[in-house]
Amino acid sequence: MTRPALPAETREARLLPLPKLPIFLELAGARAVVAGNTGPVAWKAELLAAAGARVFVYAGDPAPELQALIAATPSITWIPRPWQPADLDGAAIAVAGASDDEATRFAAAARERNIPVNVIDQPACCDFQFGAIVNRAPVVVAISTDGAAPVLAQAVRRRIEAILPHGLSDWSAAAKRVRARLSGILPLAGARRRFWEAFVDLAFAPEVRGIDHLAELEGAAEAIASGPRRRRGEVVIIPAGHRDPELLTLKAVRALQGADVIAHEPQLPVPMLELGRREAQRLSLAPGDDIVHSLAQLANAGRRVVWLAGTGSAGTAGVAAVAAALTEGTKAEAGVRVRLMPGIQDAGTSSLQAQ
């Protein structure tokens, strides 16, 4: 009997519109021009210096905060006079604390030289914005509200600070060291990804505070390399009938971010799909589709599949029936490893795994 083909991959709405493009600019050794003498100017100069720039501050009478920063930071040079257009020559970035005509002139001088410019609190004179920052260098998280609510950005920053372990800096640095050797140990991309998944699990384990277990991970890389090349796939079923992405459990979000394929009903809200890994394939499964066959075929090909099961495609009984058919049913698709996890915060967790 001929099996129906898998549904076509859905490509719509991968990314919601962005008010600004978030980028990270390389400034190591670059010339940065800062004009002004206020406290906010000092903060921007400190950010630029932290990013490795050679910062030239043009200010006739620096505020005490700026004076202290200049004295303590060798990469910041104070030029005790107002800025001039020629000072911007050769700069990679330009920042000013100015208003009215001076702000307009500074922005115009920078733009004439194709230099990205930011004039503090003058949106019309800005080519980019500074976001709130969570620094676990080399991991850096920047938060923007497009200038609408800086206090909200700071609140988001505090929450991210609370969940990111401070030891993440050490793990990130270790990742750079390991990456250079990993391709020789694990030439296959799939095996390398499994290693990095184990790496992340260990970095975020609550009982681990440093990188003492790095040797264990390097041993895991060797084990992955010597093991079977074909990865066993699985299906993670997440009931998503509530359709509110804010109600998803952390376990559900983590599963979405580790998926190779995200299967969903056609009308599932875009924000819920946005929580998934960007590179994951998206498959729209309507109620009339052979859901069991589609999920099993993907899992048997070694894919990690997350099925967001809405009430339109399967109620509680329908989800249980699909899980049973995949794990222990009489169909040819039986034998797939299945995990059924809660979709909402106050639900319990259950697990179904094929033996």
Side-chain angles (χ1 to χ4, degrees):
M1 181 177 67
T2 303
R3 287 287 188 182
L6 287 175
E9 180 179 356
T10 54
R11 301 291 297 180
E12 69 278 5
R14 282 281 179 119
L15 191 65
L16 295 175
L18 293 167
K20 299 287 186 300
L21 177 67
I23 62 173
F24 291 87
L25 187 63
E26 175 62 66
L27 289 177
R31 176 182 171 84
V33 171
V34 176
N37 60 1
T38 63
V41 167
W43 169 235
K44 299 302 189 292
E46 185 174 4
L47 278 174
L48 295 171
R54 295 177 297 112
V55 183
F56 295 86
V57 176
Y58 293 85
D61 184 18
E65 183 179 353
L66 185 53
Q67 289 182 15
L69 175 66
I70 292 169
T73 313
S75 60
I76 298 179
T77 301
W78 173 37
I79 293 86
R81 61 170 173 80
W83 71 276
Q84 299 173 3
D87 297 328
L88 294 161
D89 292 344
I93 192 169
V95 178
S99 58
D100 304 328
D101 291 343
E102 185 183 5
T104 302
R105 288 190 297 106
F106 187 87
R111 288 165 176 165
E112 285 174 3
R113 293 163 174 78
N114 296 317
I115 300 169
V117 61
N118 177 283
V119 181
I120 300 169
D121 293 332
Q122 299 289 326
C125 297
C126 294
D127 296 331
F128 67 93
Q129 296 175 348
F130 289 92
I133 292 175
V134 177
N135 189 5
R136 298 287 190 276
V139 173
V140 178
V141 181
I143 304 115
S144 170
T145 60
D146 196 25
V151 174
L152 177 60
Q154 291 297 329
V156 173
R157 182 188 65 79
R158 289 194 297 271
R159 283 158 175 77
I160 295 175
E161 289 273 13
I163 44 181
L164 287 187
H166 286 278
L168 195 60
S169 295
D170 293 334
W171 282 95
S172 303
K176 283 188 173 182
R177 297 195 300 270
V178 171
R179 185 178 296 277
R181 303 193 300 272
L182 200 61
S183 59
I185 301 173
L186 300 174
L188 298 180
R192 289 196 298 274
R193 183 179 164 202
R194 293 199 301 277
F195 170 83
W196 288 120
E197 287 168 352
F199 185 98
V200 169
D201 286 344
L202 195 54
F204 280 90
E207 69 277 8
V208 177
R209 292 293 180 264
I211 57 173
D212 298 337
H213 293 69
L214 190 56
E216 176 186 333
L217 274 174
E218 292 177 338
E222 299 283 359
I224 291 171
S226 60
R229 290 192 172 188
R230 182 177 176 181
R231 185 182 77 184
R232 186 186 183 196
E234 69 172 353
V235 175
V236 178
I237 302 176
I238 301 174
H242 51 86
R243 294 175 168 268
D244 185 348
E246 294 187 3
L247 294 179
L248 283 177
T249 62
L250 290 176
K251 283 188 176 181
V253 172
R254 185 175 179 181
L256 284 168
Q257 292 175 348
D260 297 316
V261 181
I262 299 174
H264 61 92
E265 66 177 26
Q267 303 304 318
L268 197 74
V270 170
M272 190 170 288
L273 294 176
E274 281 259 296
L275 295 174
R277 191 168 68 96
R278 298 279 181 222
E279 298 83 357
Q281 180 184 0
R282 312 291 173 88
L283 289 179
S284 177
L285 296 178
D289 294 333
D290 189 340
I291 293 175
V292 172
H293 167 69
S294 298
L295 298 178
Q297 186 172 343
L298 290 164
N300 286 332
R303 314 292 294 280
R304 180 176 295 163
V305 186
V306 172
W307 177 37
L308 291 169
T311 54
S313 56
T316 303
V319 168
V322 169
L326 288 169
T327 56
E328 55 192 27
T330 59
K331 290 188 175 184
E333 292 89 349
V336 172
R337 181 174 182 269
V338 175
R339 285 191 291 149
L340 179 60
M341 66 174 51
I344 57 175
Q345 299 287 354
D346 59 353
T349 302
S350 62
S351 177
L352 296 173
Q353 294 189 8
Q355 303 299 318

